[in-house]
């Protein structure tokens, strides 16, 4: 049975709405030896732009894994689930440090998760250019 693929820039209203609900997600990056590193994160998804974002600390392992892939980016996946509903976004991730991009990502996170994270001078954004969207939402 084929996985339910969707257009990442136009995945359908139910799919977009699912990514606006408050759900804990996972981010999967690859370690240098190729094994998956899966961690819980908050994710925001801007379907029209084909972009997902994760705010995190610049010293995290997930950031190190992405940076080790080089400037072209690292292959990653973010996923969320709620009972029988699930959604996965796959794409190339890069680490962004520009203050306006970090502030925008924090604003998006605050909207989705209904809380503003504490200030963190070491905060960066993992920006994912989404190439594939899968799920049953």
């Amino acid at each position: 049975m084929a996985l339910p693929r969707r257009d990442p820039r136009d995945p359908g209203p139910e799919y977009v709405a699912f990514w606006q609900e408050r759900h804990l997600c996972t981010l999967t990056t690859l370690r240098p030896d190729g094994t998956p590193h899966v961690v819980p994160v908050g994710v925001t998804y801007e379907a029209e732009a084909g972009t997902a974002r994760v705010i995190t600390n610049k010293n995290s392992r997930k950031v190190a894994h992405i940076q080790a892939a080089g400037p072209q980016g690292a292959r990653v996946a973010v996923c969320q689930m709620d009972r029988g509903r699930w959604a996965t976004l796959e794409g190339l991730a890069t680490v962004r440090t520009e203050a306006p991009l970090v502030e925008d990502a924090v604003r998006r996170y605050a909207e989705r998760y209904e809380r503003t994270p504490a200030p963190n001078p070491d905060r960066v954004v993992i920006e994912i250019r989404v190439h594939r969207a899968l799920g049953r939402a």
Side-chain angles (χ1 to χ4, degrees):
M1 180 175 181
L3 290 173
R5 282 185 78 165
R6 297 168 179 268
D7 178 344
R9 291 182 181 261
D10 187 18
E14 301 87 12
Y15 194 84
V16 171
F18 186 45
W19 279 102
Q20 293 169 343
E21 296 172 12
R22 187 177 183 200
H23 294 289
L24 185 61
C25 305
T26 60
L27 168 68
T28 302
T29 58
L30 297 177
R31 295 182 181 101
D33 67 1
T35 60
H37 176 252
V38 183
V39 294
V41 293
V43 177
T44 61
Y45 175 40
E46 185 183 1
E48 318 78 53
T51 303
R53 295 173 182 86
V54 174
I55 57 175
T56 190
N57 190 294
K58 69 180 181 183
N59 298 312
S60 69
R61 292 304 315 150
K62 55 189 163 285
V63 166
H65 296 155
I66 293 165
Q67 290 175 326
Q72 75 281 0
R75 290 178 186 236
V76 302
V78 290
C79 182
Q80 69 178 14
M81 60 181 290
D82 178 41
R83 300 178 190 227
R85 298 184 304 156
W86 63 275
T88 298
L89 304 171
E90 299 175 5
L92 285 176
T94 54
V95 178
R96 306 298 299 263
T97 59
E98 302 92 330
L101 296 178
V102 173
E103 291 167 11
D104 179 61
V106 168
R107 179 189 59 77
R108 291 171 188 277
Y109 177 96
E111 286 175 8
R112 180 174 188 197
Y113 291 97
E114 300 173 346
R115 72 171 198 85
T116 301
N120 178 353
D122 291 332
R123 182 170 289 131
V124 296
V125 179
I126 296 172
E127 190 174 85
I128 304 164
R129 293 181 313 278
V130 178
H131 298 147
R132 180 177 292 150
L134 308 165
R136 287 191 172 87

